[in-house]
Amino acid sequence: MHSGGVRRAVTATAVLASFLTVLSACGGGAEGSGATQAAGRAARTPAATVAPTRIPGVGDRLQRRIPSGSRQVVAVYGDGKDSADSTVVLYTKHGSTWQRERGWAGHNGKKGWTTDHHEDDDRSPVGVFTLSDAGGVLPDPGSGLPYTRSAAFAAPRWWAESHWHDFDYVIAIDYNRVKGTPPNDQTRPEGEKKGGGIWLHMDHGSGTSACVSVPEQAMRYLLRTLDPRQRPVVVMGDRADLAA
């Protein structure tokens, strides 16, 4: 286990109906739009010939919301306002410059993005959010973030089989949630209508209900790499909103 990791044990006896409120933002039983080729998506990811002093493709509005002490940024570049396809890139800060570490093809809300997310709109929220807690069905792979393992994360078996492993690993995106709690904690400080339960989780090949999904190897890498001491955040949105 990573030296910064904290393991938390929880039981799997949570009431299923209550937990499905959290899952509704993440999985959704229906398939969204089809995935595009990973190579093509990666080619459209902003890149610099020299190490940038700002996160590539992110304009002043969101750049100013990245905490000055953050040295790890997960950037989610949505293909378009109404697209479920995205590219996810991890940047780390070295001195005053940002280095691109890894990138993956991923997915976001099946209807795209919104700057005013509400429950069940099937769109992912645009913004900058901290990353504080992790968990999943599977054992801790060596997470730097506090990790809660529980069978209660498992997707319902009446969902399509392609979704059954969505929550084997998850990282909570701190949108309308209480930091320092397991990802499936249902407390929503801004109220139920603002939605919640938005996670980074494993990809099933199409859009989500609001979460961001990446391949299993990406989740394992992010869990092992993100370090609370580096104040990791996610910067996410469609490319036009990110650049604004």
Side-chain angles (χ1 to χ4, degrees):
M1 180 175 177
H2 189 284
S3 61
V6 179
R7 299 184 64 95
R8 294 192 294 244
V10 298
T11 65
T13 58
V15 178
L16 180 58
S18 177
F19 181 55
L20 290 181
T21 302
V22 176
L23 295 190
S24 67
C26 291
E31 294 293 327
S33 64
T36 58
Q37 292 296 319
R41 304 231 306 260
R44 295 195 295 275
T45 302
T49 56
V50 295
T53 57
R54 296 158 56 96
I55 301 299
V58 178
D60 289 344
R61 178 175 60 88
L62 293 180
Q63 200 86 41
R64 285 192 293 264
R65 292 177 56 186
I66 299 173
S68 59
S70 291
R71 307 191 72 82
Q72 292 180 320
V73 168
V74 179
V76 183
Y77 299 97
D79 277 9
K81 188 73 173 180
D82 301 319
S83 173
D85 297 327
S86 55
T87 302
V88 179
V89 179
L90 174 64
Y91 295 97
T92 60
K93 196 171 189 180
H94 301 271
S96 62
T97 62
W98 289 96
Q99 177 176 310
R100 184 186 189 278
E101 301 293 346
R102 298 280 182 91
W104 309 271
H107 291 93
N108 48 266
K110 59 176 67 73
K111 291 184 179 179
W113 297 90
T114 179
T115 56
D116 186 24
H117 175 67
H118 287 84
E119 186 75 13
D120 298 327
D121 65 8
D122 290 336
R123 291 180 179 270
S124 297
V126 176
V128 178
F129 309 101
T130 53
L131 301 170
S132 306
D133 303 282
V137 176
L138 297 180
D140 182 356
S143 175
L145 300 173
Y147 189 93
T148 298
R149 184 191 182 189
S150 173
F153 281 99
R157 284 307 185 256
W158 63 79
W159 285 9
E161 187 173 352
S162 59
H163 294 253
W164 288 0
H165 295 284
D166 282 9
F167 314 129
D168 282 357
Y169 295 123
V170 308
I171 297 171
I173 293 172
D174 293 335
Y175 170 91
N176 197 17
R177 71 177 300 269
V178 178
K179 299 179 188 179
T181 62
N184 56 346
D185 183 278
Q186 297 175 55
T187 306
R188 297 184 177 180
E190 298 180 57
E192 295 296 318
K193 290 184 179 180
K194 290 291 289 182
I198 298 176
W199 301 338
L200 285 161
H201 67 66
M202 285 169 49
D203 191 55
H204 53 249
S206 63
T208 71
S209 292
C211 295
V212 173
S213 61
V214 292
E216 179 179 359
Q217 67 269 27
M219 283 301 302
R220 294 176 67 88
Y221 179 83
L222 289 171
L223 285 165
R224 291 168 174 168
T225 304
L226 295 178
D227 183 347
R229 295 169 296 183
Q230 305 304 316
R231 299 181 64 186
V233 300
V234 60
V235 181
M236 52 195 275
D238 58 281
R239 293 176 189 272
D241 268 323
L242 287 177

